[in-house]
Amino acid sequence: MTVQLADQLSDPNLFRQQAYINGQWKNADNGDTFAVMDPATGNVIAQVANLGASQTVTAIEIADQAMRKWRLQTAKSRADILESWYQLILLNTEDLAIIMSAEQGKTLAESRGEISYSASFIKWFAEEGKRVYGDVIPLAQSDRRGIAIKQPIGVVAAITPWNFPSAMISRKVGPALSVGCAVVLKPAAETPLSALALAELGERAGLPAGLLNIVTSEDAVAVGAVLTTHALVKKLTFTGSTPVGKLLMAQCASTVKRTSMELGGNAPIIVFDDADLDLVMPGVINAKFRNSGQTCISANRILVQKGIYQEFIERLSAAVAEFDFGAYTDKSSSHGPLITAKAVENVHAKVKKAIEQGATVVCGGQLSDGPGHFYPATILGNLNSDMSIFQEEIFGPVAAIYSFDTEQQAVEIANDTPFGLAAYFYTENMRRCWKVSEALEYGMVGVNETAISAEVVPFGGFKESGQGREGSKYGVDDYLEIKYICMGNVD
Ligand code: ADP
């Protein structure tokens, strides 16, 4: 069944099914399309242009041309356009949220939150683009002066995931455009509509043709191969799984492209005996069940100190019993579905394996009937670090609870993973706040707080969770080259 998503929007022109190249809406050369589905119902909501390698090459060449003028504009004039784009995104929040919920499944409240978060990156980087300073460097010779300037790196390729269909784009496109680069972006095939709506608003904001190109495709391998090997692309920015990130880094090696990678996580959340459980519960619920557990900073391993283990489980079970999984069109829904049937299968397989290995099911753990890709809120107890679930990113509404005795043991368990994106802990002890923050091998640490993301802070991981930082004053660095200029004969 095809549903008319455009009819739900105040501005139906935000619903786009064609790719966006050189400021024009394009079909695939061969007319091919792919279906986008509402994960809550399985209904087809769009048929989107399915581009291949040759149109990706065209998009890169166009971006290269468009960038030549753009990089010479003043940072202020680029910022003015980004500022208008930011305003338009906010003005169209409701339509953008409906588009996002329809293709991704998250509740409208979550989608509205993501649109505001997404827009914040455009505004932030509009400002940061004006602050790309260089250095004057004292040299050993009196007749010379050293200068370091920063210049846009060149055409940027971006590959983004489906779990945050708007924000993962703006935190890459914002800095790239603000410092004078052009972008060729491949959004996830599950959620291309949010990307296309952003491009429509970018055009209305006055973004010149060719600077933001959206290559929609179901053939990630073919498009990815071009984006990672074409000589005109100088940088790849990727958010997605660690295996795909490693593959793309290897592909980028042949032309020595700069890469920034925001990859998988295996976030621990440590609850110490001295924590304030009234603060802990909403924090854990946010970190575990936001976006139905489909975030790279989701609490994947919940480590609870023995003294409060039982009370913690009881309180979490009571909170989870209040959840209402449903479609975004149903106002009572507190949580949405998983993205695909395959995602449900994957989560369920991890739960079954854990049970086989000795986990106890506190609640959930069973597949539900009916349409849509729903998985129930599940709590697993009696877990230990020898079980396979300890090393796997669950990416679903499954709370995996471990217990520990001492602070040292908690830190060792938390660090016992090749991942290092986000970690959280709860304690009322000031010494512990410092010591544990410093000991955790993670790019981001939440102390008595799990809502840690914002445009003003550096987001990124240690170890196999990636490289580079998005957001904050550091977020433009990955899009800049540093050039040293030596001025001689100054005497
Ligand atoms: P997830 O498992 O969350 O879907 P992926 O890493 O598979 O994470 O996907 C993230 C993004 O990477 C998506 O846009 C997807 O289409 C893209 N992708 C997946 N495989 C490849 C590949 N081999 N080459 C290029 N892009 C890819």
Side-chain angles (χ1 to χ4, degrees):
M1 186 175 127
T2 302
V3 172
Q4 294 307 319
L5 179 56
D7 294 347
Q8 295 178 39
L9 308 177
S10 311
D11 180 350
N13 284 328
L14 291 177
F15 175 67
R16 295 284 178 179
Q17 301 180 86
Q18 291 168 296
Y20 184 70
I21 296 175
N22 204 15
Q24 293 165 357
W25 298 100
K26 294 277 187 195
N27 292 323
D29 283 342
N30 63 5
D32 200 15
T33 61
F34 61 95
V36 177
M37 288 192 245
D38 176 346
T41 59
N43 292 335
V44 173
I45 54 170
Q47 287 288 346
V48 172
N50 191 18
L51 273 55
S54 73
Q55 282 177 291
T56 310
V57 170
T58 306
I60 292 168
E61 290 167 355
I62 280 164
D64 181 59
Q65 284 300 320
M67 203 192 131
R68 289 169 195 229
K69 265 196 185 163
W70 182 245
R71 66 180 294 166
L72 298 179
Q73 283 188 215
T74 61
K76 180 175 183 312
S77 72
R78 290 193 296 262
D80 289 344
I81 294 172
L82 293 179
E83 177 73 31
S84 306
W85 195 16
Y86 160 75
Q87 298 289 354
L88 284 175
I89 295 169
L90 288 188
L91 273 173
N92 289 279
T93 296
E94 203 54 28
D95 278 350
L96 295 174
I98 291 169
I99 291 170
M100 185 186 296
S101 290
E103 64 179 349
Q104 203 278 342
K106 63 180 71 177
T107 62
L108 275 176
E110 281 192 89
S111 290
R112 288 184 195 111
E114 182 180 337
I115 295 302
S116 147
Y117 177 54
S118 173
S120 73
F121 287 103
I122 303 293
K123 182 169 178 63
W124 172 261
F125 284 112
E127 296 295 334
E128 283 302 295
K130 292 185 276 187
R131 301 187 189 112
V132 175
Y133 306 130
D135 304 298
V136 179
I137 303 162
L139 297 180
Q141 301 83 356
S142 63
D143 65 337
R144 294 184 189 180
R145 303 290 183 275
I147 301 163
I149 63 168
K150 294 181 182 170
Q151 296 184 305
I153 190 165
V155 172
V156 171
I159 299 179
T160 52
W162 47 262
N163 59 345
F164 290 93
S166 182
M168 296 305 106
I169 293 175
S170 59
R171 57 157 67 173
K172 300 179 186 314
V173 169
L177 293 177
S178 76
V179 301
C181 298
V183 179
V184 178
L185 176 113
K186 191 204 81 64
E190 293 84 353
T191 58
L193 305 178
S194 295
L196 296 171
L198 278 180
E200 166 68 25
L201 293 174
E203 182 170 307
R204 292 184 199 175
L207 196 60
L211 289 171
L212 173 60
N213 304 281
I214 313 281
V215 175
T216 49
S217 180
E218 209 176 23
D219 191 348
V221 173
V223 172
V226 175
L227 293 178
T228 52
T229 56
H230 197 294
L232 288 178
V233 174
K234 300 296 185 240
K235 183 208 161 69
L236 172 75
T237 170
F238 173 74
T239 299
S241 61
T242 296
V244 173
K246 288 179 180 175
L247 179 79
L248 298 178
M249 284 173 82
Q251 290 176 193
C252 283
S254 66
T255 46
V256 195
K257 294 191 200 316
R258 182 98 63 86
T259 57
S260 36
M261 296 277 149
E262 206 268 90
L263 306 177
N266 185 4
I269 181 162
I270 307 170
V271 185
F272 288 102
D273 272 348
D274 62 20
D276 174 356
L277 277 186
D278 289 338
L279 194 67
V280 169
M281 300 323 297
V284 169
I285 287 161
N286 170 61
K288 178 63 253 181
F289 295 102
R290 186 168 65 104
N291 206 7
S292 293
Q294 304 171 106
T295 90
C296 48
I297 58 169
S298 285
N300 208 50
R301 295 169 297 150
I302 303 173
L303 317 181
V304 185
Q305 200 158 11
K306 287 236 167 83
I308 50 162
Y309 182 82
Q310 206 46 46
E311 185 184 354
F312 177 86
I313 295 253
E314 280 159 22
R315 289 179 68 160
L316 188 63
S317 312
V320 158
E322 303 290 314
F323 289 179
D324 186 357
F325 284 79
Y328 76 95
T329 45
D330 183 348
K331 284 201 169 61
S332 66
S333 302
S334 63
H335 292 78
L338 300 189
I339 188 73
T340 55
K342 181 99 191 117
V344 174
E345 255 176 56
N346 286 342
V347 170
H348 193 52
K350 286 170 194 163
V351 169
K352 279 199 305 194
K353 186 84 182 277
I355 296 168
E356 275 164 33
Q357 293 176 340
T360 51
V361 182
V362 179
C363 64
Q366 277 169 352
L367 290 175
S368 42
D369 297 334
H373 313 310
F374 290 96
Y375 197 79
T378 298
I379 302 177
L380 299 178
N382 198 32
L383 297 176
N384 64 59
S385 55
D386 294 331
M387 296 176 176
S388 44
I389 199 164
F390 182 87
Q391 293 294 357
E392 291 169 342
E393 196 174 19
I394 302 170
F395 241 62
V398 177
I401 324 271
Y402 302 77
S403 64
F404 67 91
D405 288 307
T406 64
E407 179 182 305
Q408 191 192 347
Q409 200 187 9
V411 170
E412 278 167 15
I413 297 171
N415 286 340
D416 182 14
T417 165
F419 296 102
L421 193 56
Y424 317 89
F425 64 94
Y426 280 82
T427 180
E428 296 289 295
N429 177 325
M430 196 59 170
R431 183 204 64 83
R432 192 171 258 169
C433 288
W434 278 104
K435 296 302 279 186
V436 175
S437 295
E438 288 166 1
L440 288 169
E441 296 163 358
Y442 287 83
M444 297 172 282
V445 177
V447 186
N448 294 325
E449 181 57 77
T450 59
I452 58 171
S453 304
E455 78 282 15
V456 299
V457 297
F459 190 107
F462 288 10
K463 292 156 78 175
E464 293 188 20
S465 287
Q467 47 174 232
R469 293 293 179 273
E470 295 190 311
S472 82
K473 66 174 179 173
Y474 305 109
V476 290
D477 293 349
D478 277 330
Y479 300 88
L480 293 166
E481 281 285 18
I482 297 175
K483 182 181 285 176
Y484 158 55
I485 303 169
C486 179
M487 308 272 285
N489 195 26
V490 175
D491 263 353

